[in-house]
Amino acid sequence: MQSNTRWNNNLAFLLAATGSAVGLGNIWGFPYKAGENGGGLFVLLYIFFVILLGLPVFMAEVAIGKIGKKDPVSAMINTAEKTNSTKNWRVVGYLGILSNLFIGGYYAVIAGLVINYGFISASGFIGKDPTVIYDTEISSFLEMTFWFLLFLALTGFVLARGIEKGIESSMRILMPTLFFLIILMVGYGAYRGDMSAALSYLFSWKAEQFSAATMQAAIGQAFFSLSIGMGTLMAFGYYMPKEQKVPGASSIVVTADTSVALLAGLAIFPLVFAFPFLDPNAGTELVFKTMSTAFAELGAIGQFVGPLFYLLLAVAALSSMISILEPSVLWVQERMPTTRTRATFIVIAICIILCLISVSGFNVLKDFKVGSLENPFEMMKYIADDFLLLLGGTGISAFVGWRLSKIIDLEKLGFKSKLLFSAWIFILRWVSPLFLMVIWVLGNLERIFFIKFF
Ligand code: TRP
């Protein structure tokens, strides 16, 4: 079945792509990674890699979608044909579909926990110990399953309604809500928390913590946060109105995404530092265990601020999750061909199975180790983020740099200067594939074979 749907206007692409980019990666991931990896140094490296590698590869992925049309696999085949390249480039599209499912297969589980925490924090913590709550919540396979199913039902509902009625119209509500909530949270943090401690934690220069691993973390985080590497941006580029400029639109999305990551740090850490017994280095549990303890300490007002914070996370997660599964839905829909609703059902069903595996990593199979990966949840996350996405990003970068660049019409894509265009192609050919492959190899050696160089 052909779906000739497009975004209604230029704003729709910006909203949807920002909705995709701003997600758990920004609010759940960025703050704790910045804290763990040397504060200001990590933040600066992150921004450096976002500009040097993230933005160029982001634009490359959007360009493939805009020129290739259709789902990621067909878009790769079409653009390969147009450039007389081998059709094997379609592997990049298939890798993308696979990444969709694997990312979706753990992302929804964390998002489910977020919704659960929204309700928990609304009911107040009086007389309860938030640390105990966390351990009880994650220990129940059934309860975690219930929450991720709820989240996937919401995602499926939007996806089934299609590009315009589903994604576009939900983003019109979700994005303003998200920006309102994050500003509110930063404001509250500044009013009630310790903003100067937060600023120094996030931005002070801890050079002694610098290592190759810091760089690896910064690059991985930049690509994940910008939604690069698995066809989301190809699909969104395909829906882009013809006259919309790729470099301009991409720069706006990248700036918005980076700003939200920084704001998330400024929303979270002031409250953490308001209570000296809270540990800012709580890693993945920061937004759950640590933040809920902070809300409990705030007393009655915490019962109000807590749910707003988890609503912010849930909104960010939902708009990203929609974009995570969109390429697969589009692919199934065109491949079968079938209706959008049926395609959505198929994709959600596969995602549910993968989510069940992830959930088991928190409880029933929490001691099931693979290499240095602690449990099935870590395994899913590793396959998606460290293995598939980086490969996808490399493929996209190399393909546009070496092949697609030959037929790109600067004007049509929206480049104003020939020099910028040449710099873009240079980065796509030489710089980003090299960086991505180096961190891919190092990461895999370390995670699977325990071989560590730095
Ligand atoms: N960028 C989102 C976040 O920060 C997650 C995400 C959505 C994503 N779509 C993606 C990551 C595509 C990689 C590829 O949470």
Side-chain angles (χ1 to χ4, degrees):
M1 186 201 275
Q2 282 284 334
S3 57
N4 287 321
T5 341
R6 290 236 180 283
W7 304 121
N8 259 327
N9 48 43
N10 290 1
L11 182 66
F13 170 83
L14 296 177
L15 284 177
T18 307
S20 166
V22 174
L24 293 173
N26 302 57
I27 308 175
W28 167 71
F30 179 81
Y32 85 79
K33 287 185 192 162
E36 275 177 1
N37 286 291
L41 188 62
F42 179 87
V43 174
L44 204 75
L45 268 178
Y46 176 80
I47 295 176
F48 174 74
F49 285 123
V50 161
I51 298 170
L52 179 76
L53 309 177
L55 179 60
V57 186
F58 186 102
M59 282 165 27
E61 191 174 332
V62 176
I64 296 177
K66 205 173 180 206
I67 296 170
K69 313 264 167 41
K70 298 207 193 160
D71 64 275
V73 177
S74 321
M76 287 308 298
I77 296 178
N78 289 347
T79 45
E81 274 171 357
K82 280 188 194 180
T83 53
N84 286 328
S85 316
T86 150
K87 273 213 225 156
N88 290 336
W89 282 105
R90 65 176 181 268
V91 172
V92 174
Y94 285 116
L95 276 178
I97 303 294
L98 212 59
S99 314
N100 281 200
L101 300 168
F102 275 91
I103 295 196
Y106 80 81
Y107 205 86
V109 172
I110 307 176
L113 196 57
V114 165
I115 304 184
N116 185 3
Y117 258 85
F119 285 99
I120 295 174
S121 61
S123 64
F125 293 95
I126 321 284
K128 289 185 225 153
D129 179 352
T131 25
V132 179
I133 295 183
Y134 182 79
D135 296 331
T136 332
E137 291 309 316
I138 61 165
S139 69
S140 165
F141 183 86
L142 280 182
E143 206 168 312
M144 282 195 87
T145 300
F146 170 80
W147 292 110
F148 88 68
L149 284 178
L150 181 70
F151 181 73
L152 279 181
L154 279 173
T155 310
F157 176 74
V158 176
L159 280 171
R161 287 172 60 90
I163 315 301
E164 203 185 315
K165 283 209 222 104
I167 306 186
E168 192 173 326
S169 55
S170 64
M171 294 294 177
R172 275 179 204 284
I173 305 170
L174 294 175
M175 286 301 100
T177 311
L178 187 140
F179 279 96
F180 172 74
L181 285 174
I182 193 136
I183 299 293
L184 197 72
M185 290 305 304
V186 175
Y188 185 73
Y191 159 73
R192 177 65 180 79
D194 187 343
M195 188 56 98
S196 63
L199 286 170
S200 95
Y201 183 73
L202 268 180
F203 299 114
S204 71
W205 206 255
K206 285 164 257 170
E208 69 285 357
Q209 286 183 24
F210 180 79
S211 69
T214 319
M215 245 167 73
Q216 207 172 322
I219 297 178
Q221 175 66 19
F223 275 71
F224 183 85
S225 188
L226 294 175
S227 301
I228 295 169
M230 64 171 207
T232 288
L233 301 171
M234 283 187 211
F236 284 11
Y238 159 40
Y239 307 142
M240 218 181 200
K242 269 207 200 73
E243 71 289 354
Q244 189 160 18
K245 311 261 186 268
V246 175
S250 305
S251 312
I252 295 177
V253 177
V254 168
T255 311
D257 183 67
T258 310
S259 314
V260 173
L262 295 175
L263 286 175
L266 298 182
I268 290 175
F269 289 120
L271 287 180
V272 174
F273 285 111
F275 306 103
F277 52 88
L278 289 181
D279 177 15
N281 295 316
T284 55
E285 293 173 2
L286 179 69
V287 298
F288 298 114
K289 238 183 201 174
T290 316
M291 284 307 276
S292 63
T293 314
F295 297 133
E297 290 296 320
L298 290 173
I301 184 88
Q303 239 167 302
F304 183 68
V305 182
L308 283 181
F309 175 73
Y310 292 109
L311 179 65
L312 164 68
L313 269 162
V315 167
L318 180 62
S319 58
S320 294
M321 186 67 191
I322 294 166
S323 83
I324 288 172
L325 296 184
E326 171 60 25
S328 298
V329 172
L330 183 63
W331 179 67
V332 172
Q333 188 189 350
E334 303 216 347
R335 180 72 215 256
M336 303 272 284
T338 181
T339 61
R340 179 124 186 136
T341 313
R342 229 180 268 152
T344 306
F345 263 107
I346 296 173
V347 171
I348 296 273
I350 301 174
C351 194
I352 289 177
I353 298 173
L354 294 169
C355 284
L356 290 172
I357 301 178
S358 294
V359 166
S360 74
F362 283 92
N363 33 64
V364 283
L365 292 179
K366 72 167 186 277
D367 299 319
F368 184 82
K369 284 197 176 58
V370 184
S372 74
L373 303 164
E374 295 287 312
N375 56 53
F377 175 81
E378 291 296 328
M379 192 179 77
M380 297 283 297
K381 210 164 156 334
Y382 161 77
I383 296 176
D385 303 359
D386 302 322
F387 195 88
L388 294 172
L389 270 188
L390 295 179
L391 276 185
T394 313
I396 288 166
S397 181
F399 178 71
V400 176
W402 293 101
R403 315 298 308 178
L404 198 67
S405 56
K406 294 185 190 153
I407 61 153
I408 281 179
D409 180 335
L410 300 200
E411 310 256 297
K412 257 197 198 148
L413 216 57
F415 275 95
K416 288 205 193 83
S417 107
K418 182 102 182 49
L419 186 71
L420 272 184
F421 178 75
S422 310
W424 180 52
I425 299 301
F426 178 81
I427 291 175
L428 294 179
R429 282 190 182 171
W430 302 105
V431 190
S432 49
L434 188 79
F435 270 94
L436 290 174
M437 274 300 94
V438 168
I439 68 166
W440 187 80
V441 171
L442 292 181
N444 286 313
L445 288 176
E446 184 180 335
R447 300 297 291 273
I448 299 295
F449 302 109
F450 300 98
I451 302 174
K452 207 168 171 202
F453 291 98
F454 300 100

